[in-house]
Amino acid sequence: MLESMTGYGSAERSEKGMKVLVELRSVNNRFAEIGVKLPRQLLSWELEVRELIRASFQRGKISAFVQLQLEEAEQLPVTVNPSKVRAYKSLLETVRREAEIEAPVTLDHVLRFSEIFESDHTILEHPDEIWPIAQSALIEAIGNLKEMRQKEGEELAADFLSRIDEIERTLKDIREIAADNLETIRKRLASKISAIAGRDVEYSKDRLEMEIVIAAEKLDITEECIRFNSHNKFFIEELNNSSSGSGRKLNFLLQEQLREANTIASKSQNADISQKVVHIKEELEKVREQLQNIE
């Protein structure tokens, strides 16, 4: 199954009062290039993030973004320590009596002591609890990215099959033209020799036939057409290959197809065949452009 190198995948997880957002973006690249942007709480797991992504993709420039957000809490992130409140109030009462102050101790006096308040520790202060949540979201985002890349790969494969079918039909036309072309050339050579012989020039019929055979062999494109058809067959087989990483092999087969097309054009010495070859090369060029996006 073909897989495109272009795609997008995201996922989010909400646990323990925190939301983890993961985004993956992928574009074309000759090799696997992975960029990671993590919050400071997860910097220690950057290598693990890279390895999780690398295990699923062979080629492409993939950018990973991970964000952490605290969810809205129903309670304030601070609490009051009752024992400290009583202790400070008692301390202030003692000071008031010893100082013979008649004014009573008020709330304002107690609030001056910040120690009576205690902060609730959020999950952001515990990276070990964050990583499993982020890891789960990352795995889901990788799956979503891969699914999108595979869907685009299926569309590209359908386009390739359509173009290979068109190339096959054009090759069939070329073989028909080539068969008539060889006979035409044979008659033309024989006519020229007969015209020369008509001037009382001695010639060997055996030699004439040999020269015609040699000329026909030079112009014969049967082998090139057979090889071209073989490359087309292997190309289609690779499109149906269930394993990933077909891009490099398909590029190699494309180069062989172009080589055969050029040889057919140069050997045939026929305007109609040359025109057909131009059409084939146009189709192959369109395939080549799309192949740059295949993993």
Side-chain angles (χ1 to χ4, degrees):
M1 179 185 296
L2 290 190
E3 185 172 316
S4 169
M5 286 188 284
T6 302
Y8 173 84
S10 64
E12 66 178 56
R13 286 286 188 279
S14 295
E15 293 184 28
K16 301 180 179 180
M18 181 198 63
K19 179 184 292 185
V20 179
L21 304 174
V22 178
E23 288 187 348
L24 298 177
R25 297 185 178 91
S26 175
V27 295
N28 299 359
N29 201 56
R30 291 183 61 189
F31 308 101
E33 181 179 336
I34 301 171
V36 178
K37 187 174 182 180
L38 300 174
R40 61 177 179 80
Q41 292 88 348
L42 295 177
L43 290 177
S44 299
W45 286 273
E46 180 175 345
L47 180 60
E48 284 83 347
V49 171
R50 291 181 180 276
E51 290 304 318
L52 279 172
I53 297 173
R54 196 180 303 278
S56 298
F57 305 104
Q58 297 184 25
R59 296 174 66 195
K61 184 177 181 180
I62 301 172
S63 301
F65 304 89
V66 180
Q67 295 180 339
L68 304 180
Q69 296 178 358
L70 283 176
E71 296 184 315
E72 293 184 4
E74 296 181 358
Q75 299 179 349
L76 293 174
V78 293
T79 58
V80 176
N81 189 314
S83 61
K84 289 185 178 180
V85 172
R86 290 191 296 269
Y88 280 118
K89 182 177 181 297
S90 176
L91 178 63
L92 290 172
E93 290 287 358
T94 302
V95 172
R96 184 184 68 80
R97 287 193 303 270
E98 293 296 328
E100 297 181 351
I101 298 174
E102 294 182 1
V105 175
T106 66
L107 178 61
D108 183 60
H109 297 145
V110 178
L111 290 177
R112 294 174 185 267
F113 299 92
S114 60
E115 290 83 357
I116 66 174
F117 297 106
E118 294 180 349
S119 297
D120 286 341
H121 295 291
T122 67
I123 190 173
L124 293 179
E125 299 176 31
H126 301 278
D128 290 341
E129 296 182 22
I130 299 175
W131 168 241
I133 304 172
Q135 183 184 38
S136 177
L138 176 61
I139 291 173
E140 181 181 350
I142 289 173
N144 292 337
L145 173 59
K146 195 166 189 68
E147 181 180 358
M148 184 174 181
R149 286 174 38 138
Q150 288 175 344
K151 286 182 179 179
E152 186 171 337
E154 291 174 2
E155 294 179 0
L156 290 175
D159 181 73
F160 293 154
L161 287 173
S162 175
R163 298 192 185 282
I164 293 298
D165 285 343
E166 176 62 20
I167 290 172
E168 289 281 355
R169 287 192 292 270
T170 307
L171 277 175
K172 182 180 179 181
D173 294 340
I174 287 175
R175 288 194 296 269
E176 293 175 356
I177 297 172
D180 295 336
N181 188 45
L182 286 176
E183 183 62 26
T184 300
I185 292 173
R186 186 181 186 283
K187 290 179 180 180
R188 185 167 67 244
L189 288 174
S191 177
K192 288 183 179 180
I193 295 299
S194 296
I196 294 174
R199 301 173 187 172
D200 299 327
V201 176
E202 294 184 0
Y203 70 95
S204 168
K205 290 186 177 181
D206 292 340
R207 178 64 179 176
L208 171 61
E209 291 297 329
M210 184 177 297
E211 290 296 334
I212 291 176
V213 169
I214 292 173
E217 288 181 350
K218 290 181 179 180
L219 298 173
D220 188 13
I221 57 174
T222 302
E223 291 185 6
E224 285 75 13
C225 288
I226 291 174
R227 285 196 296 268
F228 205 135
N229 285 328
S230 178
H231 297 326
N232 291 340
K233 177 184 176 182
F234 290 140
F235 196 99
I236 293 174
E237 288 179 354
E238 192 62 26
L239 289 180
N240 297 323
N241 191 348
S242 59
S243 62
S244 60
S246 298
R248 291 186 177 92
K249 187 171 183 180
L250 290 175
N251 269 296
F252 169 77
L253 290 171
L254 177 66
Q255 295 304 317
E256 295 302 309
Q257 290 169 312
L258 284 168
R259 194 191 315 278
E260 300 301 343
N262 288 329
T263 304
I264 290 171
S266 62
K267 287 183 66 174
S268 65
Q269 298 183 14
N270 180 279
D272 292 336
I273 291 178
S274 296
Q275 186 176 3
K276 295 288 184 182
V277 170
V278 169
H279 177 61
I280 287 177
K281 292 175 72 173
E282 288 175 348
E283 293 296 317
L284 291 176
E285 178 60 24
K286 293 173 183 175
V287 172
R288 187 193 68 79
E289 292 175 358
Q290 296 285 18
L291 275 181
Q292 306 312 308
N293 195 36
I294 295 298
E295 183 179 67

